[in-house]
Amino acid sequence: MNMIEMTVEGIGIDPHNNPLVLLRDEERKVFVPIWIGPAEAVSIQMELDDRHPPRPMTHDLISNIFAEFDIRILKVTINDFADSVYFASLHLQIGDDLQIRDVDARPSDAIALAVRAHCQIFVAETVAEKAGIQV
């Protein structure tokens, strides 16, 4: 499966007041909007702004647990888009184990964790073709 590396362009609101995260490729030719929940939008935006709440939010908690147990997020992939639903995976390495484990995740959670882990985010070319905006 061919993948396109993406970065988080930002969090936005669609005309119906629904939050979304906008991913873009390095050349700014492909944008992929992914509609997300309000809590995930806040979580991603807070990390992008380098703001930290006094107590850990859910994605901070998961990141802290990963750090405690030496689990690294190597990358996040948005693998599929079907029936208006996106599918994502976390690609994890535990300790010195060379085996990579793939864990199914909602894209919003995967992206929130990726911005905390400073890891790469990839979108399948087929997803970009189906759901992306070509500029």
Side-chain angles (χ1 to χ4, degrees):
M1 175 183 318
N2 291 334
M3 305 296 274
I4 303 167
E5 185 171 357
M6 298 272 184
T7 58
V8 176
E9 176 73 9
I11 299 295
I13 303 291
D14 75 6
H16 302 288
N17 287 325
N18 297 310
L20 60 87
V21 60
L22 187 61
L23 303 177
R24 67 164 173 83
D25 70 338
E26 184 178 322
E27 298 171 347
R28 302 179 72 88
K29 291 184 177 180
V30 179
F31 292 83
V32 177
I34 300 176
W35 281 262
I36 61 177
E40 292 79 8
V42 168
S43 179
I44 293 168
Q45 190 64 58
M46 285 186 70
E47 188 63 27
L48 292 175
D49 293 343
D50 198 28
R51 291 184 298 143
H52 304 283
R55 301 293 302 142
M57 294 174 63
T58 303
H59 299 106
D60 301 314
L61 172 64
I62 294 169
S63 293
N64 294 342
I65 291 169
F66 282 4
E68 184 67 28
F69 290 96
D70 197 20
I71 300 170
R72 290 184 308 283
I73 303 175
L74 302 177
K75 66 181 177 181
V76 163
T77 56
I78 312 299
N79 309 310
D80 199 6
F81 178 74
D83 299 323
S84 300
V85 176
Y86 289 89
F87 297 85
S89 294
L90 301 175
H91 302 268
L92 306 174
Q93 183 178 21
I94 302 171
D96 294 331
D97 187 355
L98 297 179
Q99 181 181 357
I100 297 171
R101 292 171 172 86
D102 298 340
V103 177
D104 184 37
R106 297 185 311 171
S108 56
D109 294 326
I111 292 166
L113 290 168
V115 296
R116 284 164 173 75
H118 305 286
C119 72
Q120 296 170 304
I121 300 169
F122 291 94
V123 173
E125 280 186 1
T126 54
V127 172
E129 290 168 5
K130 287 185 213 174
I133 300 163
Q134 310 291 326
V135 178

